C-alpha cells in the first residue's frame, strides 16, 4: 500500500481525562486508503527533546467528514506537545504504515475484539470496517477502573460492548480473560491489542480453544519503516520488524509460550 507524507489540519483536540487526548484531523483532499491496524508516524514540532516521529495507531477514519482520528496516551514530552495542538494547526504524518488486521475467513461470523488501555485504539476502526462488510463485532474492553475506559460511546455505535475493570467499578470485575462471555459464547476469531501480558493471556485462551487469533504488538518503534531494527520481535520464521512485518501477527506465527 502506498505511503504518504501529509500535512493534516487539526479539527479538534479533546482531552480525555488526565492521560489521553483524541485528535481529529482532516485533509484538503480525500484521505488515502488505510487498513484497520495500520499506524502513522507523527512528527512532533516545537520540542527540544523529541527528535523522532511518534508511532500512533489509526483510531478511526470518518470518510463522510474526511477525518482521521488519533487516540493518544500522554507519556512523555513528545505526546504532551501534541496535547497543545490547536484547531487549525497542521500535523505532519507518514501513513499508512505496517500491516493491519486480516479479513475474517468465510464462515468466521462471530468475532471478538479484545482491547486494554490505549490498545483499544485500532479496534474502533477495525470494528467499523467489519460492520461495513456485514460482520457485527463484539468488543471486550478492559481497564483498571471505569474512569480509565475510553471512547465507550464511539464503540457502542459500532457493536456490542462488554467491559471488565480490575476494581469492579464498571462491567465485570477482573481481567478481560475473566469475562463470563468467554464461557457462555463461542467465537470464530479473536483480534486483540493492548498490554503484552493481556495479549498473551488472550492468545493462550485462543490457542486452548482452537480459535483463530491476531494480535497487534506495541514494541517501541523509531523509523516505522523496518530500517532501524529497534522493534524486532521473534517469530516462528526468525526475527521480524514489528513496524513493517506487523504490527499485526497471527499468534501461530509468534513464539509465545501458549
Amino acid at each position: 500500500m502506498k505511503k504518504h507524507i501529509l500535512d493534516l489540519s487539526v479539527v479538534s483536540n479533546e482531552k480525555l481525562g488526565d492521560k489521553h487526548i483524541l485528535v481529529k484531523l482532516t485533509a484538503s483532499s480525500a484521505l488515502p486508503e488505510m487498513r484497520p491496524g495500520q499506524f502513522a508516524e507523527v512528527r512532533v514540532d516545537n520540542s527540544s527533546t523529541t527528535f523522532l516521529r511518534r508511532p500512533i495507531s489509526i483510531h478511526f477514519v470518518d470518510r463522510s467528514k474526511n477525518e482521521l482520528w488519533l487516540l493518544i496516551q500522554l507519556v512523555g514530552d513528545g505526546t504532551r506537545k501534541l496535547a497543545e495542538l490547536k484547531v487549525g494547526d497542521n500535523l505532519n504524518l507518514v501513513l499508512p504504515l505496517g500491516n493491519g488486521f486480516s479479513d475474517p475467513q468465510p464462515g468466521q461470523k462471530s468475532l471478538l475484539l479484545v482491547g486494554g488501555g490505549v490498545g483499544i485504539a485500532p479496534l474502533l476502526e477495525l470494528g467499523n470496517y467489519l460492520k461495513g462488510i456485514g460482520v457485527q463485532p463484539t468488543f471486550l474492553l478492559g481497564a483498571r477502573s471505569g474512569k480509565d475506559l475510553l471512547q465507550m460511546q464511539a464503540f457502542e455505535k459500532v457493536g456490542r460492548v462488554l467491559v471488565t475493570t480490575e476494581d469492579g467499578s464498571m462491567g465485570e470485575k477482573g481481567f478481560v480473560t475473566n469475562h463470563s462471555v468467554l464461557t457462555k459464547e463461542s467465537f470464530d476469531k479473536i483480534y486483540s491489542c493492548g498490554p503484552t501480558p493481556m495479549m498473551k493471556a488472550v492468545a493462550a485462551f485462543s490457542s486452548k480453544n482452537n480459535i483463530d487469533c491476531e494480535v497487534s504488538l506495541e514494541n517501541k518503534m523509531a523509523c516505522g519503516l523496518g530500517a532501524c531494527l529497534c522493534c524486532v520481535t521473534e517469530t516462528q520464521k526468525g526475527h521480524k520488524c514489528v513496524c513493517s512485518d506487523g504490527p499485526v501477527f497471527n499468534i501461530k506465527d509468534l513464539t509465545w509460550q501458549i
Side-chain angles (χ1 to χ4, degrees), residues 19-20 117-118 120 142-150 165 167 169:
K19 301 177 182 178
H20 301 85
V118 77
I120 68 170
R144 291 182 178 178
S145 66
K147 67 180 181 180
D148 298 314
L149 290 163
L150 305 170
T165 51
D167 64 1
S169 57

